[in-house]
Amino acid sequence: MSEPRLIEISPVTRVEGHGKVTIHLNAENQVDEARLHIVEFRGFERFIRGRLMWEVPVIVQRLCGICPVSHHLAAAKAMDMIAGVDQLTPTGEKMRRLMHYGQVMQSHVLHFFHLAAPDLLFGFGAPAEKRNIFEVIKEQPELGKRAVLMRKYGQEIIEATAGKKIHGTGAIPGGINRNLPIERRDHFLSTIDEMIEWSLDAVKLARDYTLEHEDVVAEFGSFPSNYMSLVRESDGALDLYHGNLRALSSIGDTIFDQVSYTRYHELIVEDVRSWSYMKFPYITELGPEAGWYRVGPLARMNTASFIDTPLADAAHKDLKAVTSGTPNNSTLANHWARMIEVLHCVEKIRELLNDPDLQGTDLIAKGDRREEGIGVIEAPRGNLIHHYKVDENDQVTYCNLIVSTTHNNEGMNRAVKDVAVKHLSGQEQITEGMLNHVEVAIRAYDPCLSCATHALGQMPLQVELFDADGGLVDSRAQCI
Amino acid sequence: MLLIGYGNPGRGDDGLGPAFSENMAARSLPELDVDTDYQLVAEHALTISDHDLVVFADAEIGGTKAYSFREISPGAPEVLGSHSLVPETVLALCETLYGARPKAYALGISGYEYGDVKEGLSERASANLADAEAFFLDWLKQQAASKVVLPA
């Protein structure tokens, strides 16, 4: 009889940052337990204390080199509240939205083409040397060039609105510190139609993959869950920048709807587990067993009543038709949802570029100061919450952050377990291809596990196989 | 010539690359374009395709000297991550996508403290940065001199 074994995938590759998976096999080689461990750096919540409120939207970008703009905007929204501003000027809000759509677009493009495409094009079990962007480019060079140019477009939008590629200062408490000059607008307009066309192609690519592999997609790390996102206050439309909270069950029943995000702490509880630094939030009224939920692109497709841009709305209807309008519980459908959001962002960017408010000069609104602020945004990976309190000297005294990857913690762990049970149980030999199946399930969530340090010389990938006594049976290491 | 300094200034010595490129940008050196970013990403392949000579500046872990400087060639590691593209990969993407192969160097500046969310460089890293800057400015002079065509 074989001995129980522990398998570690540490860190997981082609995700944003570092994480570790441990899989425990029993003596019969059946999966007993599988967990995703994320060493999230919550020390940031202490780091920010004592900083002046106006500094916060810039400083929080240091939290992460992957999604600094999302943190910048969520913090700015919280600081708006402290500044007593409930409604930005049209130029202020539209410039911020433009920045946000550029961020979501470039992040989603990077994920789909760079991180996920090798799995989707070559198969989850393909040899490791085949599963990288170079092989994708060799097969489809035009796709590679488009991916670069689409990401560049999104990054240039960020630079134009935030001022810099790194540590931008665009959003400030109560508004924005710049508008968009005509010449920059014209520069972006000159290629926007191309971006729309390429986004449509990307949606088709993801859609066709999902439908052509329906049998794989339906069962791969998929399970019913609750879903939560912001939706537009007036009509429940998809809104990535602002709105109220909506949560639906796996069959589409409303758990809560149109609740102000300033009440997030009444709606969700952050649970802790002994084996992870990252918290496990759940919906308060449903409790820890039934109340866990997912966020992100697919969650947003599930919760939104419709999309207010025509091409993305048609794509949304197409996706919803697969499950007859009820929530789609297939984890891998996140890729399709992600590309629909790219299309939506590009449509929104076009709409904004044609709006003269972007050249307005009324940039900052004023209000009666408060001592507490909560900012929530739909970041690329899902709902992102920033909550601060400040003292009479404008210094931060309290900070609580719930990032998208934290919301998805339970979902990712369940996906890991589901895939491990289906693809590793009963196997005498655990191959690299089998382990990649586990990573594919995690990658669908596009988790940001990033500490954003990447100095020369690091070798972040280590896959280790231990026996029941903790002895190292096998290991692999490679640079990502 | 293009200089790309990259890293996260909010992670202690990981900010060596941006500090280096920003200091160079402040000097407004002729014929030196400067780019600063958190990380190397795929579109840097497009950026460098327009240049004959590129220098990548980053923090270096475990360096035995204040800085290292070496010529690099295109290379594709087995597995790629968006989070940590290395200069060799950017060069390979540049060659694969755009058929351009600029001459390239990697400047690694030794750092020591990366673990905490912390602004500012450690004392030793700051000293290494100064050494690397002095070296680079001297190297730039040599590059410029080598371009001077002496009259026949």
Side-chain angles (χ1 to χ4, degrees), chain A residues 70 100 104 108 240 296 300 341 377-384 404:
Chain A
S70 302
H100 189 44
V104 176
H108 280 358
L240 299 174
R300 291 188 287 248
E341 289 193 337
I377 201 164
E378 285 297 323
R381 294 159 184 83
N383 193 270
L384 171 63
S404 317

Side-chain angles (χ1 to χ4, degrees), chain A residues 36 55 67 109 233 244 267 320 357 380 402 416 422 429:
Chain A
L36 171 65
E55 292 181 291
C67 40
V109 165
E233 185 175 1
N244 288 326
L267 303 173
K320 296 285 278 186
D357 278 345
I402 306 179
V416 165
K422 286 173 180 163
Q429 292 288 323

Side-chain angles (χ1 to χ4, degrees), chain B residues 56-134:
Chain B
F56 298 92
D58 190 11
E60 182 162 13
I61 293 174
T64 54
K65 298 177 181 173
Y67 60 86
S68 65
F69 191 69
R70 61 191 169 86
E71 187 169 355
I72 54 173
S73 306
E78 281 184 23
V79 179
L80 292 172
S82 66
H83 176 58
S84 56
L85 282 189
V86 296
E88 288 85 349
T89 310
V90 175
L91 289 171
L93 279 173
C94 177
E95 190 169 29
T96 306
L97 286 170
Y98 307 109
R101 189 168 178 167
K103 195 174 180 68
Y105 294 88
L107 174 65
I109 309 167
S110 291
Y112 310 96
E113 296 174 14
Y114 301 93
D116 296 334
V117 175
K118 181 172 89 65
E119 293 172 304
L121 304 173
S122 67
E123 203 170 309
R124 292 165 68 198
S126 295
N128 293 343
L129 176 66
D131 286 353
E133 287 177 1

Side-chain angles (χ1 to χ4, degrees), chain A residues 14 16 41 51 62 65 110 132-133 145 148 151-152 155 165 167 450-452 454 456 478-480, chain B residues 6 8 11 14 35 37-39 41 43 46 58-59 61 78-80 82-84 92 97-98 117 119:
Chain A
R14 277 188 289 132
E16 302 288 16
F41 192 82
R51 307 304 293 247
R62 287 155 167 79
L110 181 138
N132 65 60
I133 189 68
K145 287 181 183 173
V148 167
R151 218 176 104 76
K152 182 168 181 282
Q155 293 281 41
K165 277 201 293 190
H167 295 171
S450 176
C451 64
H454 51 79
L456 285 171
Q478 57 193 156
C479 184
I480 58 171
Chain B
Y6 59 102
N8 186 348
R11 294 286 180 168
D14 198 44
D35 190 9
D37 220 325
Y38 279 106
Q39 58 192 332
V41 290
E43 61 262 31
L46 178 60
D58 190 11
I61 293 174
E78 281 184 23
V79 179
L80 292 172
S82 66
H83 176 58
S84 56
L97 286 170
Y98 307 109
V117 175
E119 293 172 304

Side-chain angles (χ1 to χ4, degrees), chain A residues 138-163:
Chain A
K138 277 183 199 166
E139 296 232 347
Q140 301 197 39
E142 191 54 34
L143 202 63
K145 287 181 183 173
R146 284 184 179 188
V148 167
L149 291 173
M150 288 178 81
R151 218 176 104 76
K152 182 168 181 282
Y153 191 93
Q155 293 281 41
E156 285 183 355
I157 291 271
I158 292 169
E159 191 177 8
T161 49

